[in-house]
Each structure stands twice: as C-alpha cells, then as structure tokens.
Amino acid sequence: METKSLIIDITTTLFQQKGFIGVGINEILNACNLSRALFYHHFPKGKEEIVIKISYNHISHTGYGWGGTITGCLTASSVK
C-alpha cells in the first residue's frame, strides 16, 4: 500500500476511535511507523489536511458529491 494511503487509512481508524482532537501527530506517527519528516512530506498542513482528505474521500464514495443529489433526497427546487 502506498504510504499516503496507509496514513489516511490508519488515521481514519484513529479518528473514528478517539475523535479528531483525541489523536495527536505522535500517535499517528507511531501507528503508521513513520518519521515526522515523511508524514509532513505527504501532509504539510498536518492533521487538518488529513481530515479534509478523509472527508473528500467519504463524500466521493457515498455519492453525496458536490454536483448532484441522491434519489429521494430533498433539493432546493423541491421545497416550497
């Protein structure tokens, strides 16, 4: 598995278990067995950048994309 994907996968699990605030960079580094330099090479803005990537992945995989709606969901035009 690619290093960046590994970081995202492990960090996703950590965030699910402990929440964003409950997980520190050192915990991510230990869980991924990474150096600080390698972590910041992939995510220069730290945890904030990872949570954005995780959120984007979730939106992309669930179908709740920016450009459309899911069948059965309310849209602005359907609410009067």
Side-chain angles (χ1 to χ4, degrees):
M1 178 180 281
E2 177 188 330
T3 302
K4 189 169 187 172
S5 296
L6 176 73
I7 296 168
I8 291 168
D9 288 348
I10 290 173
T11 304
T12 298
T13 300
L14 291 172
F15 287 168
Q16 289 170 338
Q17 293 171 347
K18 300 180 178 187
F20 178 78
I21 295 173
V23 178
I25 293 295
N26 287 332
E27 186 170 1
I28 295 169
L29 296 178
N30 290 334
C32 296
N33 196 27
L34 293 175
S35 69
R36 190 171 293 273
L38 186 57
F39 172 82
Y40 282 106
H41 167 76
H42 290 288
F43 296 98
K45 295 181 178 154
K47 285 189 344 179
E48 291 78 9
E49 190 171 352
I50 294 175
V51 80
I52 290 168
K53 180 66 175 165
I54 291 168
S55 298
Y56 176 80
N57 287 349
H58 178 73
I59 289 167
S60 296
H61 288 80
T62 60
Y64 291 98
W66 306 116
T69 60
I70 302 299
T71 302
C73 292
L74 294 176
T75 63
S77 61
S78 70
V79 178
K80 296 183 183 195

